[in-house]
């Protein structure tokens, strides 16, 4: 046999042996090996799928997820929105800005001037008044002040002694014949005496007159201080003020007006006056301050009655040492003379501002520096927005009589008028009527400015809270502003302007509104994220799982339909 044949016989098993092996394997029982199954897991294609979910289970799970989302959307979110939304009351922002810009009301003070032409004929008087009024209108470069001439009614009233706030006219012009044209203002009454040559009166048919021009010029000069103050106030609070000429004189006048406004007290219907006597020893221990006030200051306080109310109290403090021990006080020493740590100065009572009048009895005097003096006195000085101090030499007795208090009380009266921003020129009745108009304009402009600031704040901070009290204050303020604008110049207009300014200030400085300025949106995000994360993640994942399962079922149903 060849080698090839032998090799082929070796590779092939005998038939009998192969059949026996096959039969044995067929009858053999196979026991699975746990280790073998763990080491060799079944392939993914051979993994058994879980049984399909029942339709009612699928619907139940969908209803559970939907119920959670419905509760969140229709119950949770509205409650959260209602409890966390910042309340913002509706404000008339456009109207508030109109008041701030001077568009809602342009203050025009009509100053009534009565012309006494008893020495002229009726036609001459009428023509002179008409020509003078035309001259005043032609000179009127300031729209907020309008001088109106009217004939003096023949009522027989004593206008020489009548205060200007009790009469209809702010000024009475008394025409009298003379040699030349002159004008002089009375020191105690609102009366302007004007003399004229007989041939200067215009005829009934004349259209112009030198005397009428002269009279108009004198009237404008009489009210020039009021015009300057009004112009300063309009330029300070509004952006549509009339342009004013520049120059060294105008700049000096503005600097003086700015100083006056800075030292004057903010307007209040009531002021509390405190008169204090401080001594460096046991004497004097008493003073006739009540009688001195009634005699020297009370007439001025009564004249100020239509504008301000005053309450008064007095006190005496012995062994009081000033803040400066120098015998001669310099300008630098005046600001530290008041020893506020030891002197029991009365605070504001009832919410009204307090004006302090301190009289110190001692050997100290004020140095010759004129810049530290008020009214040229070397024994007193005025403290802006606070009060006045007077240095009184030690009296010979333990009691200060009313006569010795005359000069201090008169000085305090002058300082009080300065602190109230009373005009400095003209008779006192006319100055008080001017003060009424100035205070009315000041309060009206302050209230309008506060409304504009509140409107700009509301627009700049959308997240700021605006409680109902703010809207109520704005409504009241604008209502009184309209009343003040229609009654400018009188005490009624002043009272309406005061209420409007108080309501506007109260609305602007509302505590609950100001507190929102210190709670920015970043703080809200930092608070809500730790709360919304654990709640929102399960809801979102559950919703995505349901959407994914729904898409899978849709694909399977489409595949079955195609098959």
């Amino acid at each position: 046999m060849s080698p090839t044949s032998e090799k082929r016989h070796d590779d092939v098993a005998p038939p009998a042996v192969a059949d026996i092996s096959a039969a044995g394997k067929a009858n053999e029982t196979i026991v699975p090996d746990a280790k073998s199954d763990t080491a060799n897991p079944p392939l993914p294609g051979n993994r058994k799928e879980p049984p399909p979910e029942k339709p009612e289970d699928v619907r139940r799970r969908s209803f559970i997820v939907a119920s959670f989302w419905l509760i969140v959307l229709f119950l949770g979110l509205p409650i959260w929105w209602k409890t966390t939304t910042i309340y913002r009351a509706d404000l008339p922002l456009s109207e508030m800005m109109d008041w701030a810009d001077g568009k809602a009301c342009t203050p025009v003070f009509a100053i009534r001037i009565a012309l006494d032409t008893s020495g002229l004929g009726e036609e001459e008087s009428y023509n002179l008044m008409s020509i003078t009024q035309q001259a005043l209108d032609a000179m009127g470069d300031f729209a907020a002040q309008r001088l109106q001439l009217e004939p003096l009614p023949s009522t027989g009233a004593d206008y020489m002694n009548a205060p200007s706030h009790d009469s209809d006219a702010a000024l009475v012009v008394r025409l009298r014949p003379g040699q030349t044209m002159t004008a002089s203002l009375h020191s105690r009454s609102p009366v302007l005496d004007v003399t004229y040559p007989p041939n200067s009166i215009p005829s009934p048919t004349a259209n112009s007159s030198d005397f009428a021009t002269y009279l108009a010029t004198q009237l404008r000069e009489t009210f020039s201080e009021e015009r300057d103050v009004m112009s300063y106030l309009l330029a300070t609070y509004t952006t549509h003020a009339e342009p004013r000429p520049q120059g060294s004189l105008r700049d000096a006048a503005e600097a003086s007006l700015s100083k006056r406004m800075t030292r004057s007290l903010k307007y209040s219907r009531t002021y509390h006056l405190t008169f204090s006597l401080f001594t460096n020893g046991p004497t004097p221990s008493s003073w006739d301050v009540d009688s001195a006030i009634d005699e020297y200051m009370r007439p001025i306080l009564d004249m100020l009655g239509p504008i301000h109310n005053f309450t008064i109290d007095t006190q005496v403090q012995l062994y009081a040492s000033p803040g400066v021990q120098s015998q001669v006080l310099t300008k630098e020493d005046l600001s530290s003379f008041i020893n506020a740590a030891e002197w029991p100065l009365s605070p504001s009572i009832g919410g009204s501002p307090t004006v302090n009048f301190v009289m110190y009895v001692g050997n100290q005097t004020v140095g010759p520096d004129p810049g530290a003096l008020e009214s040229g006195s070397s024994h007193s000085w005025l403290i802006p927005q606070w009060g006045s101090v007077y240095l009184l030499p030690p009296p010979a007795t333990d009691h200060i009589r009313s006569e010795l208090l005359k000069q201090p009380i008169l000085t305090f009266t002058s300082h009080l008028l300065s602190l109230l921003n009373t005009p400095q020129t003209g008779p006192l009745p006319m100055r008080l009527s001017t003060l009424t108009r100035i205070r009315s304009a000041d309060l009206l402009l302050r209230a309008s400015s506060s409304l504009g600031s509140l409107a700009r704040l509301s627009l700049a901070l959308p997240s700021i809270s605006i409680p109902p009290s703010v809207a109520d204050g704005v409504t009241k303020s604008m209502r009184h502003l309209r009343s003040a604008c229609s009654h400018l110049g009188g005490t009624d207009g002043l009272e309406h302007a005061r209420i409007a300014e108080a309501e506007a200030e109260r609305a602007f400085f509302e505590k609950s509104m100001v507190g929102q300025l210190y709670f920015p949106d970043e703080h809200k995000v930092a608070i809500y994220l730790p709360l919304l994360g654990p709640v929102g993640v399960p809801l979102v994942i559950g919703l995505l799982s349901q959407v994914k399962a729904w898409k899978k079922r849709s694909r399977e149903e489409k595949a079955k339909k195609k098959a």
Side-chain angles (χ1 to χ4, degrees), residues 84-89 456-467 512-522 524:
T84 60
T85 299
I86 298 175
Y87 180 81
R88 289 175 61 88
R456 288 188 290 269
L457 179 66
S458 176
L459 295 174
L461 299 175
S463 61
I464 193 173
S465 172
I466 302 179
S512 59
M513 180 179 65
V514 176
Q516 293 293 333
L517 296 176
Y518 306 99
F519 194 74
D521 294 336
E522 290 80 0
K524 300 178 184 178

Side-chain angles (χ1 to χ4, degrees), residues 458-528:
S458 176
L459 295 174
L461 299 175
S463 61
I464 193 173
S465 172
I466 302 179
S469 58
V470 174
D472 181 65
V474 170
T475 302
K476 290 181 180 178
S477 179
M478 289 194 297
R479 183 174 69 250
H480 285 283
L481 279 176
R482 287 188 287 267
S483 300
C485 191
S486 59
H487 297 85
L488 283 177
T491 55
D492 292 340
L494 177 62
E495 183 64 18
H496 285 296
R498 182 190 66 81
I499 298 175
E501 194 268 343
E503 292 293 338
E505 290 288 320
R506 181 178 64 84
F508 185 79
F509 292 103
E510 175 64 33
K511 295 180 180 179
S512 59
M513 180 179 65
V514 176
Q516 293 293 333
L517 296 176
Y518 306 99
F519 194 74
D521 294 336
E522 290 80 0
H523 290 185
K524 300 178 184 178
V525 175
I527 291 174
Y528 288 138

Side-chain angles (χ1 to χ4, degrees), residues 218-373:
Q218 294 300 319
L219 292 177
R220 279 181 52 81
E221 288 295 328
T222 302
F223 294 94
S224 60
E225 183 180 5
E226 178 180 349
R227 183 169 60 253
D228 292 339
V229 174
M230 292 291 188
S231 178
Y232 178 83
L233 291 176
L234 290 175
T236 302
Y237 290 106
T238 63
T239 58
H240 295 80
E242 300 177 4
R244 292 178 293 175
Q246 302 294 328
S248 58
L249 294 178
R250 175 58 62 180
D251 294 341
E254 289 186 0
S256 177
L257 288 174
S258 178
K259 183 179 179 181
R260 284 177 52 184
M261 296 297 177
T262 303
R263 74 183 179 186
S264 62
L265 294 164
K266 185 180 179 180
Y267 177 82
S268 177
R269 187 65 182 92
T270 303
Y271 290 102
H272 182 71
L273 307 183
T274 299
F275 294 85
S276 304
L277 177 66
F278 294 94
T279 67
N280 59 357
T283 58
S285 58
S286 61
W287 57 335
D288 291 334
V289 63
D290 294 333
S291 60
I293 292 174
D294 292 338
E295 184 176 359
Y296 305 117
M297 181 180 278
R298 182 64 63 182
I300 304 300
L301 298 181
D302 293 340
M303 295 180 69
L304 288 168
I307 309 174
H308 302 288
N309 294 328
F310 299 95
T311 59
I312 300 175
D313 71 342
T314 63
Q315 65 173 338
V316 178
Q317 181 71 19
L318 306 179
Y319 298 99
S321 59
V324 180
Q325 300 297 331
S326 176
Q327 184 174 359
V328 179
L329 302 178
T330 62
K331 180 179 180 180
E332 291 75 15
D333 296 334
L334 300 183
S335 59
S336 57
F337 179 84
I338 301 296
N339 192 348
E342 297 182 5
W343 291 3
L345 297 173
S346 298
S348 297
I349 297 178
S352 302
T354 297
V355 185
N356 293 278
F357 296 114
V358 175
M359 189 181 307
Y360 187 80
V361 179
N363 293 319
Q364 291 177 304
T365 58
V366 180
D369 187 2
L373 306 178

